[in-house]
Amino acid sequence: MEKQEIAKDLRKKLPELMIKENEDMKKHTSFKIGGVADIFVKVKTQQELKGVIEYAKEKEIPITIIGNGSNLLVRDKGIRGITIQIGMDHINVQETEDGRVEVQVDSGVKLGMLASKLQKEGIEGFSFAAGIPGTIGGAIRMNAGAYGKEMKDIVTEVTSLKENGEIQTKKGEDLQFSYRHSRFMEEKEIILSAKLSLEKGNAEEIKRKMEELNASRKEKQPIEMPSAGSTFKRGRNFVTAQLIDEAGLKGYQIGGAQVSTKHAGFIVNTGNATAKDVLDLVDYIIQVIFEKFGKIVELEVEVVGEE
Ligand SMILES: Cc1cc2nc3c(=O)[nH]c(=O)nc-3n(C[C@H](O)[C@H](O)[C@H](O)COP(=O)(O)OP(=O)(O)OC[C@H]3O[C@@H](n4cnc5c(N)ncnc54)[C@H](O)[C@@H]3O)c2cc1C
């Protein structure tokens, strides 16, 4: 089906929906790499999301879901079909009877924005996520974490949209959370919202803690350059970034993609990197680490788009 026709149909069906044709994915990924998305929409409500999904299903158009694009490498040929950016952003904070705080949050809310709101309200337990540049949906799917804490420690419930259109709510303990993994990596479900269990704390203390963590990130990570965070997962009994460093690969470059000189765990875009540059560098690192240490390293960054 022609993309003009898809855009026309969607505009008719969902007049409020933000729709773009041939949208450059460099604009929507922290790597600032990637070809164009044929059709790119940003959904602001569950109704819009359901509308787009129903249409795509009826016309057999593939869909790709993105949050803030901070763990994504989009291939150079771009993404066919409809790319849906999750933009639902409602937050509700409530004290519970046992003196804790329950936060009901939509999946499109950015972690940094939520952390800063909770800090101002003196709510503790979310500061670990303040510097992770993703959305709640992306973070739950990846079980994102930092400084010894992960989403699994605070998520008590997740509501998602199944492929058959059914909306389902599952408890945190049923989400198969493990290191950088949840059941959403196997199930084709779209995370709509979540409940987080947090505590009351002191706004000033939380602020200090967040500033400390941010300063540590700034010192250790190349946050001034485009990247998708840690390129690889940690190994079971080794730290991948350490092996990359020991292999002498810091600063190693293919095209515009470089192993960060600041943190070997990050591949950075020095300006004009292509997805092919990044993937070639990834392959090279995997090969060197295997040859030197006999270890198999696994990508943390997710790769989407046409090969
Ligand atoms: C500078 C930098 C630092 C980082 N530091 C950390 C860190 O400390 N810890 C950490 O864990 N990660 C870190 N990351 C990686 C990244 O921020 C996290 O993985 C984040 O959770 C990704 O969220 P996102 O919304 O950007 O997801 P995206 O990159 O947009 O998508 C990632 C995956 O999630 C899926 N997805 C997104 N939203 C939904 C949804 N609503 N429902 C279903 N699937 C969905 C997408 O389809 C895709 O498969 C860092 C990245 C950068 C650039």
Side-chain angles (χ1 to χ4, degrees):
M1 206 175 157
E2 288 294 315
K3 38 193 157 177
Q4 291 85 348
E5 205 182 324
I6 299 174
K8 199 171 143 205
D9 282 354
L10 283 174
R11 283 195 183 100
K12 204 160 134 202
K13 187 175 161 92
L14 300 157
E16 304 282 303
L17 182 68
M18 192 280 273
I19 306 168
K20 291 189 173 166
E21 286 170 56
N22 300 320
E23 179 70 352
D24 196 340
M25 289 307 290
K26 289 185 180 70
K27 290 199 263 178
H28 300 284
T29 56
S30 55
F31 240 144
K32 302 201 186 311
I33 292 175
V36 300
D38 283 355
I39 300 287
F40 181 91
V41 304
K42 179 168 181 174
V43 293
K44 299 284 279 175
T45 62
Q46 280 190 28
Q47 287 70 21
E48 281 187 345
L49 176 62
K50 279 189 103 174
V52 177
I53 299 284
E54 273 164 21
Y55 173 79
K57 208 170 173 188
E58 184 193 319
K59 305 281 183 189
E60 296 182 342
I61 301 166
I63 59 157
T64 302
I65 301 293
I66 75 159
N68 204 31
S70 65
N71 198 43
L72 273 192
L73 178 66
V74 177
R75 290 197 184 92
D76 301 312
K77 286 190 185 154
I79 311 175
R80 305 290 77 80
I82 305 175
T83 301
I84 306 176
Q85 184 171 48
I86 303 296
M88 294 88 77
D89 62 358
H90 190 258
I91 303 170
N92 184 37
V93 179
Q94 243 179 348
E95 261 185 50
T96 56
E97 278 171 12
D98 61 359
R100 291 182 65 83
V101 181
E102 185 182 89
V103 180
Q104 165 85 43
V105 58
D106 279 352
S107 55
V109 170
K110 296 200 180 105
L111 303 181
M113 185 266 163
L114 181 61
S116 122
K117 176 182 165 67
L118 296 174
Q119 177 274 317
K120 288 190 190 97
E121 294 183 23
I123 297 163
E124 172 58 312
F126 198 72
S127 39
F128 78 94
I132 304 176
T135 59
I136 288 286
I140 289 174
R141 180 186 147 102
M142 304 296 300
N143 185 23
Y147 312 107
K149 280 195 93 178
E150 305 173 305
M151 294 304 285
K152 96 172 198 296
D153 302 326
I154 55 169
V155 171
T156 56
E157 219 173 84
V158 173
T159 299
S160 58
L161 178 66
K162 291 173 52 167
E163 260 194 312
N164 62 5
E166 198 185 303
I167 289 183
Q168 128 189 308
T169 298
K170 279 194 178 277
K171 296 265 174 238
E173 58 265 32
D174 298 325
L175 299 175
Q176 291 149 29
F177 280 129
S178 60
Y179 171 68
R180 299 296 173 269
H181 174 270
S182 75
R183 69 185 291 277
F184 298 105
M185 295 188 91
E186 282 89 45
E187 305 298 328
K188 273 193 168 176
E189 289 172 25
I190 303 173
I191 299 163
L192 299 174
S193 63
K195 274 188 189 160
L196 315 178
S197 175
L198 302 170
E199 293 144 40
K200 282 190 256 177
N202 175 289
E204 278 311 305
E205 269 175 37
I206 302 166
K207 191 173 173 203
R208 255 198 312 278
K209 195 167 165 189
M210 274 168 56
E211 282 168 357
E212 261 173 45
L213 297 183
N214 280 342
S216 153
R217 243 179 218 278
K218 230 177 168 171
E219 191 197 318
K220 295 185 185 135
Q221 300 181 356
I223 53 173
E224 63 288 353
M225 291 183 86
S227 79
S230 292
T231 316
F232 300 98
K233 292 183 182 178
R234 273 168 176 257
R236 253 184 224 290
N237 53 2
F238 60 93
V239 179
T240 311
Q242 220 171 306
L243 297 190
I244 298 173
D245 196 357
E246 282 171 27
L249 290 175
K250 258 188 179 172
Y252 189 85
Q253 193 160 340
I254 294 183
Q258 184 191 52
V259 177
S260 163
T261 51
K262 201 166 172 183
H263 190 310
F266 284 56
I267 289 180
V268 292
N269 174 1
T270 59
N272 292 310
T274 60
K276 185 176 185 306
D277 294 341
V278 175
L279 292 170
D280 286 349
L281 185 52
V282 161
D283 285 346
Y284 182 72
I285 295 169
I286 291 174
Q287 186 196 326
V288 171
I289 297 302
F290 186 71
E291 279 167 8
K292 277 199 183 313
F293 307 103
K295 304 283 186 202
I296 296 172
V297 296
E298 212 184 307
L299 260 191
E300 177 169 326
V301 171
E302 298 203 42
V303 185
V304 295
E306 198 180 333
E307 282 199 55

